[in-house]
Amino acid sequence: MAGRADANRRRIMDIALSELLRDADASMDQIARAAGVVRRTVYGHFPSRDALIVALVDDVAETVGAAHAAALHGVDDPAEALARSVLAVWEIADGYRLLISLAQHSVTVEGIHRRLEPVRLETATVLQRGLDAGQFTSPLPVTALAYVREQVIFGLMQAVNEGLLAPEDAGRSAAVTALATLGVPVASATELVARILADDGPAGTGNAAAPDARASDAAVPGSGDIGV
């Protein structure tokens, strides 16, 4: 019975994600109809629309963590590790950027930061290696640098949402910008990111997958608040 309940919950979440990325104002009734269940079934798993969005953001955070870990696996060079991490995380974030904008009203900025803490701590380790090796330079402590890397991604997500940056350029831009903020010459950063993309294909990692629903770029109410 538990297995069936878990499967139903997963199916509702998958359909809810598609509906919310297509229509940021999608109601629980709309989600229930799309899932082919009565509203009571959806509420049985998620007591409110906010609770459903929180569950979806938890899912995103887990997916981001897995993509980040996979991107770092077997990569010793700190600059390459950071570039691969940003490319992998961006591929996930790009697929969910409208959801994350929407989640500002349900999860709070603090909640999103807390969910990303494991990725931030692992990033800090990579940054420290680069600082110790002399590849990176910064007047900031490594914990602050980890936040800077995170903010590069959030800032570019907002830039894409507002039509200031083409989605197809954003991942590359995020990786180059993250390296440049650490003192890596822009030309060197651009060359490194181009090599990674050429070696591994458009995804930059070959293992992250974003939802098909990301093609929907409908405006999200309050998305102007994504800059965290």
Side-chain angles (χ1 to χ4, degrees), residues 125-138:
T125 300
V126 174
L127 293 172
Q128 189 63 63
R129 291 204 335 256
L131 290 168
D132 292 343
Q135 284 185 286
F136 302 153
T137 58
S138 175

Side-chain angles (χ1 to χ4, degrees), residues 100-136:
I100 293 173
S101 293
L102 181 63
Q104 301 289 319
H105 306 283
S106 304
V107 184
T108 76
V109 170
E110 181 183 356
I112 292 174
H113 281 316
R114 179 164 40 81
R115 285 163 172 80
L116 293 175
E117 185 175 12
V119 172
R120 194 180 311 118
L121 292 175
E122 196 168 10
T123 296
T125 300
V126 174
L127 293 172
Q128 189 63 63
R129 291 204 335 256
L131 290 168
D132 292 343
Q135 284 185 286
F136 302 153

Side-chain angles (χ1 to χ4, degrees), residues 78-186:
E80 181 176 350
L82 182 66
R84 286 184 176 275
S85 167
V86 172
L87 288 168
V89 169
W90 176 264
E91 188 180 1
I92 301 301
D94 184 44
Y96 295 109
R97 55 189 160 81
L98 297 179
L99 173 67
I100 293 173
S101 293
L102 181 63
Q104 301 289 319
H105 306 283
S106 304
V107 184
T108 76
V109 170
E110 181 183 356
I112 292 174
H113 281 316
R114 179 164 40 81
R115 285 163 172 80
L116 293 175
E117 185 175 12
V119 172
R120 194 180 311 118
L121 292 175
E122 196 168 10
T123 296
T125 300
V126 174
L127 293 172
Q128 189 63 63
R129 291 204 335 256
L131 290 168
D132 292 343
Q135 284 185 286
F136 302 153
T137 58
S138 175
L140 298 175
V142 69
T143 49
L145 284 174
Y147 271 103
V148 170
R149 174 263 192 193
E150 191 174 285
Q151 295 311 304
V152 166
I153 294 175
F154 276 122
L156 289 177
M157 286 170 65
Q158 183 62 15
V160 174
N161 282 348
E162 294 185 2
L164 303 175
L165 181 66
E168 60 269 22
D169 296 330
R172 182 190 305 265
S173 297
V176 172
T177 302
L179 290 170
T181 60
L182 293 164
V184 177
V186 172

